[in-house]
Amino acid sequence: MDARDTELKKELDASLQARRELGEDYESALVDSFLEKVDQRIDGAVERRVRRQLAEQQMTTARDARSPKVTDSWGERFGFGIVSLVLAVPLSAIGGGVADLPGLLVAWAGIVGVNVVQVARTNPSLFGRRRPARGDDAWED
């Protein structure tokens, strides 16, 4: 039995004792007083639950806002590929013109490296990493 239940039982016993002593004339006032105490107790319990649920929702919202957002849209991938190819032409010309074959290889290694990083960012499962599920604490500090 909870301590609050014991306290409520004592209040009920006191109300019944007062009814015995005062008679039926005060019965409705005693019942109303007891019901008001019960109502206050219920309101307090509901308020605590609502506060707890609100705090949990705020924590969930904060956790979701803190976790990295990964967008994997077709347009983003297509645009990145086009920009990568457009920049590959002058980078290849500069690298090949300045340092011949080694310069060309370094330029293309950089282009491939940037594209691999982009793929790893948008598709973590390809490289053994996994995206956190909703509510997963994989990204927690």
Side-chain angles (χ1 to χ4, degrees), residues 17-123:
Q17 184 64 28
R19 187 215 178 263
R20 284 186 205 112
E21 291 175 6
L22 296 174
E24 293 183 15
D25 296 337
Y26 295 96
E27 183 174 342
S28 65
L30 290 171
V31 169
D32 288 342
S33 173
F34 178 73
L35 289 178
E36 186 176 321
K37 291 176 186 176
V38 170
D39 192 32
Q40 289 172 353
R41 183 75 47 92
I42 291 172
D43 286 345
V46 168
E47 186 176 331
R48 282 190 300 276
R49 285 183 186 153
V50 167
R51 268 195 249 132
R52 183 174 54 236
Q53 288 178 347
L54 183 60
E56 288 173 359
Q57 286 176 347
Q58 289 172 345
M59 286 178 57
T60 302
T61 302
R63 189 178 302 138
D64 289 345
R66 215 175 45 205
S67 66
K69 302 288 188 241
V70 177
T71 57
D72 189 17
S73 67
W74 182 84
E76 181 181 346
R77 289 190 313 249
F78 183 73
F80 194 83
I82 294 294
V83 170
S84 180
L85 288 174
V86 166
L87 291 177
V89 173
L91 288 174
S92 298
I94 293 169
V98 171
D100 296 324
L101 184 61
L104 185 63
L105 292 176
V106 168
W108 274 96
I111 293 166
V112 169
V114 166
N115 282 284
V116 166
V117 168
Q118 173 68 9
V119 168
R121 186 183 74 78
T122 57
N123 299 313

Side-chain angles (χ1 to χ4, degrees), residues 1-11 41:
M1 191 182 254
D2 196 332
R4 291 178 284 177
D5 292 339
T6 305
E7 185 180 321
L8 195 58
K9 187 174 190 279
K10 286 180 183 177
E11 289 176 11
R41 183 75 47 92

